[in-house]
């Protein structure tokens, strides 16, 4: 009615379409990254230029993968929000629902690990601040604030895990390059 998005269905549908494209894109990128990692690992001193191109390509792909996961994580947390028609039929975003569903004990676990300022950073209205955290912060959140992490929605965890995995893959590429150069 008059373009109202009762229940946030339009934004949810847009997110689901973007998620399908994201998953397809990630499958392709994962295959390309594996090939680039193989090329970097097999590099020889006399073929340094080609191997270095593979290294740079892997770096760019892994950064793109991280950036895209951050973007999709924020899109997920914003999805489902609507104002309805004249405020009637409005609904909360996935991020707001997620924030409200996390227990006090889980929030306390994060506060003890990182401090109150950190909680302010990640607990904005839709929790999109999660996707502005560094690799080290996300890793610590996942591995040491296990109660909090376990209460996150699956899509949120999927994007956090993708960011962590991309960074770990980048570190593997760097190590492979170092080993290939030093033999």
């Amino acid at each position: 009615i008059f373009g109202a998005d009762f229940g946030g269905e339009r934004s949810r549908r847009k997110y689901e379409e973007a998620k399908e494209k994201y998953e397809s894109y990630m499958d392709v990128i994962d295959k390309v990254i594996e090939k680039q990692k193989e090329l970097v690992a097999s590099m020889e001193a006399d073929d340094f230029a080609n191997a270095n191109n593979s290294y740079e390509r892997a770096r760019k792909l892994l950064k793109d993968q991280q950036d895209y996961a951050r973007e999709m994580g924020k899109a997920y947390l914003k999805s489902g929000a609507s104002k309805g028609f004249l405020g009637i039929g409005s609904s909360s975003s996935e991020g707001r629902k997620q924030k409200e569903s996390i227990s006090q004990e889980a929030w306390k676990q994060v506060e003890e690990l990182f401090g109150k300022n950190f909680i302010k950073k990640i607990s904005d209205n839709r929790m999109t601040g999660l996707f502005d955290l560094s690799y080290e912060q996300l890793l610590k959140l996942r591995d040491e604030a296990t109660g909090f992490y376990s209460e996150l929605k699956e899509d949120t965890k999927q994007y956090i895990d993708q960011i962590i995995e991309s960074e770990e893959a980048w570190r593997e590429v760097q190590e492979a390059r170092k080993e290939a150069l030093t033999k």
Side-chain angles (χ1 to χ4, degrees), residues 12-166:
R12 232 181 247 107
R13 209 171 30 254
K14 280 184 169 184
Y15 164 72
E16 289 300 326
E17 290 169 5
K19 182 180 177 184
E20 283 180 38
K21 290 177 185 175
Y22 166 83
E23 288 170 349
S24 176
Y25 180 67
M26 287 300 120
D27 288 342
V28 171
I29 282 189
D30 284 341
K31 290 174 185 165
V32 173
I33 289 169
E34 278 307 309
K35 187 65 177 167
Q36 298 303 316
K37 285 166 70 175
E38 289 172 19
L39 291 169
V40 168
S42 68
M43 72 189 214
E44 299 290 331
D46 59 338
D47 195 24
F48 180 74
N50 287 334
N52 199 45
N53 288 340
S54 292
Y55 175 79
E56 289 301 321
R57 177 89 171 123
R59 181 187 60 76
K60 182 184 180 330
L61 288 170
L62 287 163
K63 175 152 181 10
D64 289 350
Q65 194 175 50
Q66 272 191 27
D67 291 346
Y68 202 25
R70 289 178 188 280
E71 184 181 317
M72 287 299 299
K74 287 179 180 182
Y76 167 68
L77 293 173
K78 291 176 183 177
S79 73
S82 74
K83 293 183 179 165
F85 179 68
L86 301 176
I88 300 168
S90 62
S91 68
S92 296
S93 66
E94 291 299 326
R96 183 171 200 125
K97 290 176 196 172
Q98 179 172 254
K99 179 181 173 183
E100 292 169 355
S101 72
I102 295 174
S103 69
Q104 288 299 320
E105 288 77 31
W107 283 111
K108 187 174 181 165
Q109 191 179 47
V110 172
E111 182 180 335
E112 289 171 0
L113 195 60
F114 294 104
K116 286 186 182 197
N117 286 338
F118 184 85
I119 289 185
K120 289 178 187 174
K121 184 176 184 175
I122 66 169
S123 69
D124 61 355
N125 195 29
R126 295 183 177 160
M127 291 185 66
T128 56
L130 276 172
F131 293 99
D132 294 328
L133 300 177
S134 69
Y135 158 75
E136 290 80 9
Q137 291 171 316
L138 289 172
L139 188 63
K140 190 173 185 178
L141 188 70
R142 184 190 72 183
D143 294 348
E144 297 180 39
T146 55
F148 177 83
Y149 188 78
S150 69
E151 291 186 29
L152 293 174
K153 305 277 184 175
E154 287 306 311
D155 281 10
T156 303
K157 289 191 272 191
Q158 172 191 346
Y159 298 121
I160 289 172
D161 290 343
Q162 182 65 61
I163 294 164
I164 291 169
E165 289 167 13
S166 295

